[in-house]
Short mmCIF file of all heavy atoms in Angstrom, two decimals:
data_model
loop_
_atom_site.label_atom_id
_atom_site.label_comp_id
_atom_site.label_asym_id
_atom_site.label_seq_id
_atom_site.Cartn_x
_atom_site.Cartn_y
_atom_site.Cartn_z
N MET A 931 0.80 -1.21 0.00
CA MET A 931 0.00 0.01 0.00
C MET A 931 0.84 1.27 0.00
O MET A 931 0.31 2.36 0.16
CB MET A 931 -0.93 -0.04 1.19
CG MET A 931 -1.81 -1.27 1.19
SD MET A 931 -3.14 -1.20 2.36
CE MET A 931 -4.20 -0.03 1.60
N GLN A 932 2.15 1.14 -0.17
CA GLN A 932 3.02 2.30 -0.19
C GLN A 932 2.78 3.17 -1.42
O GLN A 932 2.30 2.68 -2.46
CB GLN A 932 4.48 1.88 -0.09
CG GLN A 932 4.78 1.32 1.29
CD GLN A 932 6.23 0.87 1.44
OE1 GLN A 932 7.08 1.13 0.62
NE2 GLN A 932 6.49 0.16 2.53
N ALA A 933 3.10 4.43 -1.29
CA ALA A 933 2.94 5.44 -2.37
C ALA A 933 1.49 5.78 -2.62
O ALA A 933 1.15 6.33 -3.65
CB ALA A 933 3.62 4.99 -3.66
N GLY A 934 0.62 5.55 -1.62
CA GLY A 934 -0.80 5.87 -1.75
C GLY A 934 -1.27 6.95 -0.78
O GLY A 934 -2.46 7.18 -0.66
N GLY A 935 -0.34 7.59 -0.08
CA GLY A 935 -0.70 8.69 0.82
C GLY A 935 -0.87 8.32 2.28
O GLY A 935 -1.10 9.18 3.12
N ILE A 936 -0.75 7.03 2.61
CA ILE A 936 -0.94 6.61 4.02
C ILE A 936 0.18 7.18 4.89
O ILE A 936 -0.06 7.67 6.00
CB ILE A 936 -1.02 5.09 4.11
CG1 ILE A 936 -2.27 4.57 3.41
CG2 ILE A 936 -1.02 4.64 5.58
CD1 ILE A 936 -2.35 3.06 3.26
N GLY A 937 1.41 7.12 4.43
CA GLY A 937 2.54 7.64 5.21
C GLY A 937 2.37 9.12 5.47
O GLY A 937 2.60 9.60 6.59
N ARG A 938 1.91 9.86 4.47
CA ARG A 938 1.69 11.31 4.62
C ARG A 938 0.59 11.56 5.69
O ARG A 938 0.72 12.45 6.50
CB ARG A 938 1.28 11.88 3.28
CG ARG A 938 1.25 13.39 3.24
CD ARG A 938 1.02 13.92 1.82
NE ARG A 938 1.97 13.37 0.87
CZ ARG A 938 1.64 12.71 -0.22
NH1 ARG A 938 0.37 12.54 -0.52
NH2 ARG A 938 2.56 12.22 -1.01
N GLN A 939 -0.47 10.74 5.64
CA GLN A 939 -1.55 10.90 6.63
C GLN A 939 -1.06 10.58 8.04
O GLN A 939 -1.41 11.29 9.00
CB GLN A 939 -2.71 9.99 6.29
CG GLN A 939 -3.49 10.47 5.06
CD GLN A 939 -4.65 9.56 4.75
OE1 GLN A 939 -5.47 9.27 5.61
NE2 GLN A 939 -4.71 9.07 3.50
N LEU A 940 -0.24 9.55 8.19
CA LEU A 940 0.30 9.21 9.50
C LEU A 940 1.24 10.29 10.02
O LEU A 940 1.21 10.64 11.20
CB LEU A 940 1.03 7.86 9.44
CG LEU A 940 0.11 6.64 9.38
CD1 LEU A 940 0.89 5.41 8.95
CD2 LEU A 940 -0.54 6.40 10.74
N LEU A 941 2.08 10.84 9.13
CA LEU A 941 2.98 11.92 9.53
C LEU A 941 2.16 13.15 9.96
O LEU A 941 2.49 13.81 10.97
CB LEU A 941 3.96 12.26 8.42
CG LEU A 941 5.08 13.21 8.79
CD1 LEU A 941 5.92 12.67 9.95
CD2 LEU A 941 5.96 13.46 7.58
N GLN A 942 1.12 13.48 9.23
CA GLN A 942 0.26 14.60 9.60
C GLN A 942 -0.42 14.32 10.95
O GLN A 942 -0.51 15.24 11.79
CB GLN A 942 -0.81 14.84 8.52
CG GLN A 942 -1.70 16.04 8.83
CD GLN A 942 -0.93 17.34 8.88
OE1 GLN A 942 -0.25 17.68 7.93
NE2 GLN A 942 -1.00 18.05 9.99
N ALA A 943 -0.87 13.11 11.17
CA ALA A 943 -1.47 12.76 12.45
C ALA A 943 -0.46 12.89 13.59
O ALA A 943 -0.83 13.34 14.69
CB ALA A 943 -2.05 11.34 12.40
N ALA A 944 0.78 12.54 13.33
CA ALA A 944 1.84 12.70 14.33
C ALA A 944 2.04 14.15 14.68
O ALA A 944 2.15 14.54 15.86
CB ALA A 944 3.16 12.10 13.82
N GLU A 945 2.07 15.03 13.68
CA GLU A 945 2.24 16.46 13.91
C GLU A 945 1.02 17.03 14.64
O GLU A 945 1.17 17.86 15.54
CB GLU A 945 2.51 17.17 12.58
CG GLU A 945 3.83 16.79 11.97
CD GLU A 945 4.04 17.33 10.57
OE1 GLU A 945 3.21 18.13 10.09
OE2 GLU A 945 5.05 16.96 9.95
N ASP A 946 -0.16 16.59 14.27
CA ASP A 946 -1.37 17.02 14.97
C ASP A 946 -1.35 16.58 16.43
O ASP A 946 -1.75 17.33 17.31
CB ASP A 946 -2.64 16.47 14.28
CG ASP A 946 -2.88 17.07 12.90
OD1 ASP A 946 -2.27 18.10 12.57
OD2 ASP A 946 -3.67 16.45 12.14
N TYR A 947 -0.86 15.39 16.66
CA TYR A 947 -0.75 14.90 18.03
C TYR A 947 0.23 15.78 18.82
O TYR A 947 -0.06 16.15 19.97
CB TYR A 947 -0.26 13.43 18.05
CG TYR A 947 -0.05 12.90 19.43
CD1 TYR A 947 -1.15 12.42 20.20
CD2 TYR A 947 1.19 12.87 20.02
CE1 TYR A 947 -0.96 11.95 21.48
CE2 TYR A 947 1.38 12.37 21.29
CZ TYR A 947 0.31 11.93 22.00
OH TYR A 947 0.49 11.45 23.31
N ALA A 948 1.35 16.15 18.23
CA ALA A 948 2.33 17.02 18.91
C ALA A 948 1.65 18.33 19.30
O ALA A 948 1.78 18.77 20.46
CB ALA A 948 3.51 17.29 17.99
N ARG A 949 0.90 18.91 18.39
CA ARG A 949 0.22 20.17 18.69
C ARG A 949 -0.78 19.98 19.83
O ARG A 949 -0.94 20.84 20.69
CB ARG A 949 -0.50 20.70 17.47
CG ARG A 949 0.40 21.26 16.40
CD ARG A 949 -0.40 21.81 15.22
NE ARG A 949 0.43 22.11 14.11
CZ ARG A 949 0.71 21.29 13.09
NH1 ARG A 949 0.16 20.10 13.05
NH2 ARG A 949 1.48 21.69 12.10
N SER A 950 -1.46 18.82 19.83
CA SER A 950 -2.50 18.58 20.87
C SER A 950 -1.90 18.46 22.24
O SER A 950 -2.64 18.65 23.23
CB SER A 950 -3.30 17.31 20.53
OG SER A 950 -2.58 16.13 20.86
N ILE A 951 -0.63 18.16 22.36
CA ILE A 951 0.01 18.08 23.67
C ILE A 951 1.01 19.25 23.84
O ILE A 951 1.93 19.18 24.67
CB ILE A 951 0.70 16.72 23.91
CG1 ILE A 951 1.76 16.40 22.87
CG2 ILE A 951 -0.33 15.60 23.99
CD1 ILE A 951 2.61 15.17 23.17
N SER A 952 0.80 20.30 23.06
CA SER A 952 1.57 21.56 23.15
C SER A 952 3.07 21.40 22.93
O SER A 952 3.87 22.04 23.57
CB SER A 952 1.31 22.24 24.51
OG SER A 952 -0.07 22.51 24.65
N ILE A 953 3.42 20.54 21.98
CA ILE A 953 4.81 20.39 21.56
C ILE A 953 4.92 20.91 20.14
O ILE A 953 4.15 20.57 19.29
CB ILE A 953 5.27 18.92 21.65
CG1 ILE A 953 5.34 18.46 23.12
CG2 ILE A 953 6.66 18.74 21.00
CD1 ILE A 953 5.74 17.01 23.33
N ASN A 954 5.91 21.80 19.91
CA ASN A 954 6.08 22.44 18.62
C ASN A 954 7.26 21.94 17.83
O ASN A 954 7.48 22.41 16.69
CB ASN A 954 6.18 23.95 18.78
CG ASN A 954 4.89 24.53 19.35
OD1 ASN A 954 3.82 24.15 18.94
ND2 ASN A 954 5.04 25.43 20.31
N THR A 955 8.07 21.04 18.38
CA THR A 955 9.24 20.51 17.68
C THR A 955 9.08 18.99 17.53
O THR A 955 8.89 18.29 18.52
CB THR A 955 10.52 20.82 18.50
OG1 THR A 955 10.61 22.22 18.68
CG2 THR A 955 11.75 20.33 17.74
N VAL A 956 9.17 18.55 16.30
CA VAL A 956 9.12 17.12 15.99
C VAL A 956 10.47 16.71 15.47
O VAL A 956 11.06 17.38 14.62
CB VAL A 956 8.03 16.83 14.94
CG1 VAL A 956 7.97 15.36 14.59
CG2 VAL A 956 6.67 17.30 15.44
N THR A 957 11.00 15.58 15.98
CA THR A 957 12.30 15.07 15.56
C THR A 957 12.19 13.63 15.14
O THR A 957 11.22 12.93 15.49
CB THR A 957 13.37 15.19 16.70
OG1 THR A 957 12.95 14.35 17.80
CG2 THR A 957 13.55 16.61 17.15
N MET A 958 13.18 13.17 14.42
CA MET A 958 13.28 11.78 13.97
C MET A 958 14.71 11.51 13.56
O MET A 958 15.49 12.44 13.41
CB MET A 958 12.33 11.52 12.81
CG MET A 958 12.70 12.28 11.55
SD MET A 958 11.58 11.96 10.17
CE MET A 958 10.08 12.65 10.74
N THR A 959 15.01 10.22 13.38
CA THR A 959 16.30 9.85 12.80
C THR A 959 16.04 8.99 11.59
O THR A 959 15.10 8.21 11.53
CB THR A 959 17.17 9.08 13.83
OG1 THR A 959 16.43 7.96 14.34
CG2 THR A 959 17.62 9.97 14.96
N VAL A 960 16.89 9.19 10.55
CA VAL A 960 16.75 8.46 9.29
C VAL A 960 18.16 8.00 8.89
O VAL A 960 19.13 8.78 8.93
CB VAL A 960 16.15 9.34 8.18
CG1 VAL A 960 16.05 8.60 6.86
CG2 VAL A 960 14.77 9.86 8.61
N ILE A 961 18.26 6.76 8.44
CA ILE A 961 19.55 6.23 8.00
C ILE A 961 20.09 7.10 6.85
O ILE A 961 19.36 7.42 5.91
CB ILE A 961 19.39 4.75 7.53
CG1 ILE A 961 19.00 3.89 8.74
CG2 ILE A 961 20.68 4.24 6.89
CD1 ILE A 961 18.63 2.45 8.38
N THR A 962 21.36 7.49 6.96
CA THR A 962 21.94 8.44 6.00
C THR A 962 21.95 7.93 4.58
O THR A 962 21.92 8.73 3.65
CB THR A 962 23.39 8.79 6.40
OG1 THR A 962 24.17 7.58 6.45
CG2 THR A 962 23.45 9.49 7.75
N ARG A 963 21.95 6.63 4.37
CA ARG A 963 21.98 6.05 3.03
C ARG A 963 20.58 6.00 2.36
O ARG A 963 20.45 5.54 1.26
CB ARG A 963 22.56 4.64 3.07
CG ARG A 963 23.99 4.66 3.49
CD ARG A 963 24.59 3.30 3.45
NE ARG A 963 25.95 3.38 3.96
CZ ARG A 963 26.85 2.45 3.78
NH1 ARG A 963 26.54 1.36 3.10
NH2 ARG A 963 28.06 2.57 4.28
N ARG A 964 19.58 6.48 3.06
CA ARG A 964 18.19 6.42 2.56
C ARG A 964 17.82 7.73 1.87
O ARG A 964 16.94 8.44 2.28
CB ARG A 964 17.23 6.14 3.72
CG ARG A 964 17.45 4.84 4.44
CD ARG A 964 17.22 3.60 3.55
NE ARG A 964 16.04 3.71 2.75
CZ ARG A 964 14.80 3.44 3.18
NH1 ARG A 964 14.59 3.05 4.38
NH2 ARG A 964 13.78 3.58 2.35
N ALA A 965 18.51 8.03 0.77
CA ALA A 965 18.36 9.31 0.08
C ALA A 965 16.89 9.59 -0.30
O ALA A 965 16.40 10.70 -0.09
CB ALA A 965 19.24 9.36 -1.17
N GLU A 966 16.18 8.59 -0.84
CA GLU A 966 14.80 8.80 -1.26
C GLU A 966 13.89 9.08 -0.07
O GLU A 966 12.98 9.92 -0.16
CB GLU A 966 14.29 7.60 -2.10
CG GLU A 966 14.03 6.34 -1.31
CD GLU A 966 15.26 5.55 -0.86
OE1 GLU A 966 16.41 5.87 -1.24
OE2 GLU A 966 15.09 4.59 -0.09
N LEU A 967 14.14 8.45 1.04
CA LEU A 967 13.35 8.67 2.24
C LEU A 967 13.65 10.05 2.84
O LEU A 967 12.74 10.79 3.25
CB LEU A 967 13.59 7.56 3.27
CG LEU A 967 12.73 7.58 4.51
CD1 LEU A 967 11.24 7.52 4.17
CD2 LEU A 967 13.09 6.41 5.42
N LEU A 968 14.92 10.41 2.87
CA LEU A 968 15.31 11.74 3.34
C LEU A 968 14.64 12.81 2.49
O LEU A 968 14.08 13.78 3.04
CB LEU A 968 16.83 11.90 3.31
CG LEU A 968 17.58 11.12 4.38
CD1 LEU A 968 19.05 11.00 4.03
CD2 LEU A 968 17.42 11.79 5.74
N GLN A 969 14.61 12.66 1.17
CA GLN A 969 13.97 13.65 0.30
C GLN A 969 12.48 13.73 0.60
O GLN A 969 11.89 14.83 0.56
CB GLN A 969 14.20 13.28 -1.18
CG GLN A 969 15.64 13.46 -1.62
CD GLN A 969 16.14 14.89 -1.43
OE1 GLN A 969 15.44 15.85 -1.73
NE2 GLN A 969 17.33 15.03 -0.90
N TRP A 970 11.85 12.58 0.89
CA TRP A 970 10.42 12.55 1.22
C TRP A 970 10.17 13.42 2.46
O TRP A 970 9.23 14.22 2.48
CB TRP A 970 9.97 11.11 1.42
CG TRP A 970 8.50 10.92 1.55
CD1 TRP A 970 7.60 10.79 0.54
CD2 TRP A 970 7.75 10.83 2.79
NE1 TRP A 970 6.32 10.61 1.07
CE2 TRP A 970 6.39 10.64 2.44
CE3 TRP A 970 8.08 10.88 4.13
CZ2 TRP A 970 5.40 10.51 3.37
CZ3 TRP A 970 7.09 10.74 5.07
CH2 TRP A 970 5.75 10.58 4.68
N TYR A 971 11.00 13.27 3.47
CA TYR A 971 10.85 14.07 4.69
C TYR A 971 11.18 15.56 4.45
O TYR A 971 10.51 16.43 4.98
CB TYR A 971 11.70 13.52 5.83
CG TYR A 971 11.11 12.27 6.46
CD1 TYR A 971 11.77 11.06 6.40
CD2 TYR A 971 9.86 12.31 7.09
CE1 TYR A 971 11.22 9.92 6.96
CE2 TYR A 971 9.32 11.18 7.65
CZ TYR A 971 10.00 9.98 7.59
OH TYR A 971 9.44 8.85 8.15
N TYR A 972 12.19 15.83 3.65
CA TYR A 972 12.52 17.22 3.34
C TYR A 972 11.32 17.91 2.68
O TYR A 972 11.02 19.08 3.01
CB TYR A 972 13.75 17.32 2.43
CG TYR A 972 15.05 16.79 3.01
CD1 TYR A 972 16.09 16.44 2.16
CD2 TYR A 972 15.23 16.62 4.38
CE1 TYR A 972 17.28 15.96 2.68
CE2 TYR A 972 16.41 16.13 4.89
CZ TYR A 972 17.45 15.80 4.03
OH TYR A 972 18.63 15.31 4.55
N ARG A 973 10.66 17.23 1.78
CA ARG A 973 9.47 17.82 1.09
C ARG A 973 8.36 18.11 2.08
O ARG A 973 7.47 18.91 1.79
CB ARG A 973 9.00 16.88 -0.03
CG ARG A 973 9.90 16.84 -1.22
CD ARG A 973 9.30 16.15 -2.41
NE ARG A 973 8.86 14.78 -2.19
CZ ARG A 973 9.60 13.69 -2.31
NH1 ARG A 973 10.88 13.80 -2.66
NH2 ARG A 973 9.12 12.49 -2.11
N ARG A 974 8.38 17.45 3.22
CA ARG A 974 7.35 17.68 4.24
C ARG A 974 7.81 18.63 5.33
O ARG A 974 7.20 18.72 6.41
CB ARG A 974 6.91 16.34 4.82
CG ARG A 974 5.86 15.73 3.89
CD ARG A 974 5.93 14.22 3.73
NE ARG A 974 5.15 13.85 2.55
CZ ARG A 974 5.65 13.83 1.30
NH1 ARG A 974 6.90 14.16 1.07
NH2 ARG A 974 4.91 13.48 0.29
N GLY A 975 8.90 19.33 5.10
CA GLY A 975 9.34 20.40 6.01
C GLY A 975 10.36 20.00 7.06
O GLY A 975 10.70 20.81 7.89
N TYR A 976 10.87 18.79 6.99
CA TYR A 976 11.89 18.37 7.96
C TYR A 976 13.26 18.74 7.41
O TYR A 976 13.50 18.72 6.24
CB TYR A 976 11.79 16.85 8.19
CG TYR A 976 10.59 16.50 9.00
CD1 TYR A 976 9.33 16.41 8.39
CD2 TYR A 976 10.65 16.34 10.37
CE1 TYR A 976 8.18 16.15 9.14
CE2 TYR A 976 9.50 16.08 11.13
CZ TYR A 976 8.29 15.99 10.51
OH TYR A 976 7.15 15.76 11.25
#
């Protein structure tokens, strides 16, 4: 089911959850060799 928008919805839900508990900074770690995944997160403001 990848590439159908589910990941984007989950990431949005994570950010909404952060706001609901009054946290304004979201962090994560991504393997440096995962260029396509890093680009995906960069496009979402990370």
Side-chain angles (χ1 to χ4, degrees):
M931 303 192 73
Q932 290 180 11
I936 295 171
R938 190 173 307 123
Q939 288 180 53
L940 285 164
L941 189 58
Q942 183 62 57
E945 293 172 7
D946 292 344
Y947 177 81
R949 287 182 191 94
S950 78
I951 59 171
S952 300
I953 293 178
N954 296 318
T955 304
V956 179
T957 63
M958 65 180 65
T959 54
V960 179
I961 295 173
T962 58
R963 295 183 185 197
R964 299 296 316 279
E966 71 287 352
L967 187 57
L968 287 162
Q969 291 302 316
W970 189 85
Y971 284 117
Y972 297 160
R973 288 191 303 273
R974 277 143 196 87
Y976 289 80

